[in-house]
Amino acid sequence: MNKSWLRSAILFALLTSGCGLVETPNELMRAPSSDSDQKSINQAIMQYLPAGSQLTVPLNPDESSAVSLRDLDADGIPEAVAFYKTEKNDYEIGVLILTQNKGHWEKLTSFSNIGNRLDFVQFDDLTGDNQPEILIGLGAGDDLNKELSIYSLEQGRLQEQIKLPYSVLAVGDLDQDGKAELAVIVHDHDKLVSTLHLYGVTDQKMTKLAEQTLDGHVNGYDQALIGKASHDKNGLFIEAGLGAHSASTDLWIWEDGKLRNPLARNNSEMEMTFKPYPLLSEDINQDGLIEIGIHTQPPGTEDLPMYAIPWIASYFQWDGKDGLAHIEDHYQNYDFGLDFRIPDKWAGKFTVANEPQNEPQMTTFYYYQEATGEKLPLLTLQAVPQQEWSKAAEKWEQQQRSYVILKEGGKTVHVAIQPEMPSKMSASTREVYSSMLLSTEEIRQFYRPLQMPL
């Protein structure tokens, strides 16, 4: 997949964590039952890794690790599965599987496949035999489709069940039958054709349940995700890049034995989920439902060039019919590495502005009357380099400014600076403005750090 459209919008896209090489299995494993178990697994893995090898972490899903404990043969005893790369060959990913024998870890098998990037690893039962298959996706470059291999452990031997090309993929219970489905999206850049393939369990075999043509004229696909689209329906959320930096989200549900897109546009209508920059779907408010992210422009910024607009990340849920319901808004700044949820009491009465004249740069939220253009500061967010923090704090204390430290660790200190009450305003404005000011507890509640995209 060509991700140049993502690179141009990297300050706006929320990407998954990167793949890295590591020296030991420590802190990279789905935790075993005790410290002694972890120590023995660590020792065994390092013993059986080829010379000059290092463990590598899959790019996806987010919770993936370099070492996983999984009961691959359903005998009640987990196997250890480790992924590694060697210094000699940058285009080869290795897999090491250890089994337990009388309390000791022994090598069951190891193998390698061609690829310079471990894109995807997941363990799911895709055949209905109550044993998890190993799904391993490898990539060879941004302009190429990746390759998914699915393995199962049968009578002590690892068997490859199927090999599939993909641009993005997702695993989850889309049809809500209690079993996992595999959704594979393949985009052919040359032929401008995109296809969604849905696989599931039929008679203890992985079979194709459906095939759906997608828009082949997109620039690329960045994410596929299966999760709850509403309280009674699961959905497949597919993120597509449309141009140099714009994007959209497709939603597919399983209904009456086939795939349906409830948000499909009619003829020349603009896509309901069009966004000027990538913004991935996620459960932003932790309510168990997936929200679709769409950028909205703050009022009063109409004269700014597109790159300078302080976009608001607005999140919506499928309404169960053919529309979207607004859930909440966030200001997300990837330069600063912070996320600030917009308080509900600010809705329709605020704007936001970056302050490039300040060093370090600030972002300020304002009470804003669009009809009159009146602006009054509500809150300023700033990321201060650690080496400048003492000087900045001293200046604010001398000025008797109120501020809240949000994050102290790392290279920067995140701080929220509370405004002084303006001396001149009408009584009606004072009442509304005062009600919009935030307490220290509210500021902390609405803030969270963001991981910088790689």
Side-chain angles (χ1 to χ4, degrees):
M1 179 181 64
N2 184 352
K3 290 189 177 179
S4 59
W5 63 279
L6 267 178
R7 292 196 188 96
S8 67
I10 198 167
L11 299 182
F12 299 88
L14 179 61
L15 304 182
T16 53
S17 58
C19 173
L21 296 180
V22 292
E23 299 292 341
T24 70
N26 289 324
E27 300 179 357
L28 291 168
M29 179 164 43
R30 295 289 154 244
S33 57
S34 69
D35 291 342
S36 60
D37 289 342
Q38 179 168 316
K39 183 177 180 180
S40 65
I41 295 171
N42 290 355
Q43 292 174 341
I45 289 171
M46 301 314 294
Q47 174 187 349
Y48 290 111
L49 276 181
S53 298
Q54 291 180 312
L55 296 174
T56 185
V57 181
L59 282 161
N60 302 292
D62 286 341
E63 66 274 13
S64 298
S65 60
V67 181
S68 294
L69 294 180
R70 301 287 177 168
D71 185 3
L72 300 177
D73 53 8
D75 65 352
I77 303 174
E79 282 71 40
V81 184
F83 302 92
Y84 63 90
K85 294 187 75 172
T86 64
E87 295 176 352
K88 294 181 180 179
N89 192 343
D90 193 43
Y91 282 85
E92 192 172 79
I93 303 291
V95 183
L96 170 66
I97 301 179
L98 305 182
T99 187
Q100 298 182 67
N101 183 15
K102 297 180 180 180
H104 297 284
W105 289 98
E106 298 178 350
K107 179 179 175 179
L108 177 65
T109 187
S110 65
F111 61 95
S112 61
N113 276 332
I114 301 300
N116 68 347
R117 183 166 48 197
L118 182 57
D119 177 72
F120 183 90
V121 169
Q122 195 155 319
F123 301 84
D124 275 291
D125 179 12
L126 296 178
T127 59
D129 61 357
N130 297 317
Q131 294 181 210
E133 278 69 50
I134 309 176
L135 288 74
I136 303 175
L138 302 181
D142 287 343
D143 295 326
L144 302 172
N145 276 318
K146 291 157 281 202
E147 190 168 71
L148 173 70
S149 295
I150 301 178
Y151 300 89
S152 60
L153 189 61
E154 300 176 2
Q155 298 179 344
R157 301 185 64 182
L158 205 64
Q159 305 287 339
E160 186 178 62
Q161 300 297 323
I162 193 171
K163 192 182 291 288
L164 299 167
Y166 73 97
S167 300
V168 292
L169 59 83
V171 180
D173 186 7
L174 182 61
D175 61 6
Q176 298 175 281
D177 64 351
K179 301 172 184 177
E181 281 76 50
L182 167 66
V184 176
I185 294 89
V186 182
H187 176 52
D188 189 322
H189 283 273
D190 297 327
K191 297 180 180 179
L192 298 179
V193 173
S194 297
T195 309
L196 162 61
H197 307 271
L198 183 67
Y199 297 87
V201 178
T202 303
D203 298 328
Q204 291 198 348
K205 292 182 179 179
M206 192 179 87
T207 58
K208 184 180 288 190
L209 302 179
E211 184 174 305
Q212 178 66 49
T213 299
L214 304 180
D215 185 357
H217 291 82
V218 299
N219 197 318
Y221 288 95
D222 185 54
Q223 176 181 275
L225 173 68
I226 294 176
K228 290 194 72 65
S230 67
H231 290 289
D232 60 354
K233 283 282 188 182
N234 289 349
L236 169 63
F237 300 80
I238 304 174
E239 311 290 341
L242 303 182
H245 46 69
S246 57
S248 68
T249 303
D250 277 352
L251 170 63
W252 293 90
I253 60 172
W254 186 260
E255 196 170 81
D256 299 327
K258 59 184 179 181
L259 291 165
R260 183 174 77 87
N261 181 357
L263 303 179
R265 62 178 177 176
N266 294 320
N267 301 322
S268 61
E269 288 183 359
M270 179 178 287
E271 292 192 46
M272 192 180 305
T273 61
F274 174 85
K275 59 200 85 179
Y277 293 95
L279 185 60
L280 303 186
S281 300
E282 61 173 308
D283 181 6
I284 191 70
N285 61 349
Q286 302 299 304
D287 67 347
L289 304 182
I290 302 298
E291 284 80 38
I292 294 174
I294 302 173
H295 292 107
T296 54
Q297 185 171 358
T301 63
E302 293 78 12
D303 294 335
L304 292 177
M306 192 169 180
Y307 70 86
I309 295 170
W311 296 97
I312 297 298
S314 297
Y315 288 89
F316 301 80
Q317 287 176 358
W318 177 47
D319 65 5
K321 299 177 182 178
D322 57 0
L324 295 171
H326 178 258
I327 300 301
E328 61 187 39
D329 294 325
H330 289 244
Y331 172 75
Q332 297 171 339
N333 189 310
Y334 288 91
D335 280 334
F336 293 176
L338 62 81
D339 179 305
F340 191 81
R341 183 167 76 81
I342 304 301
D344 293 340
K345 62 184 179 182
W346 286 8
K349 297 176 291 187
F350 86 100
T351 190
V352 59
N354 291 325
E355 312 289 356
Q357 71 275 12
N358 292 289
E359 188 62 42
Q361 184 177 332
M362 299 177 178
T363 293
T364 301
F365 299 94
Y366 292 92
Y367 162 73
Y368 182 63
Q369 281 283 0
E370 192 166 8
T372 63
E374 183 180 18
K375 289 171 61 174
L376 297 171
L378 290 167
L379 192 69
T380 295
L381 299 177
Q382 189 168 358
V384 183
Q386 281 284 358
Q387 63 270 23
E388 299 177 21
W389 170 243
S390 297
K391 182 179 178 181
E394 182 181 358
K395 181 185 71 173
W396 293 328
E397 288 168 5
Q398 289 175 351
Q399 296 173 346
Q400 296 184 330
R401 299 292 303 275
S402 297
Y403 63 89
V404 181
I405 299 174
L406 301 173
K407 181 184 77 72
E408 293 186 82
K411 296 180 180 180
T412 58
V413 177
H414 288 175
V415 60
I417 306 167
Q418 296 166 292
E420 299 175 337
M421 181 67 72
S423 57
K424 294 182 180 180
M425 67 179 86
S426 65
S428 58
T429 296
R430 182 178 296 274
E431 181 180 358
V432 175
Y433 175 74
S434 297
S435 70
M436 295 174 67
L437 295 175
L438 302 179
S439 67
T440 297
E441 292 75 15
E442 288 175 313
I443 293 170
R444 294 189 188 280
Q445 173 190 346
F446 295 132
Y447 161 85
R448 68 171 183 172
L450 276 182
Q451 182 176 355
M452 296 297 289
L454 298 179

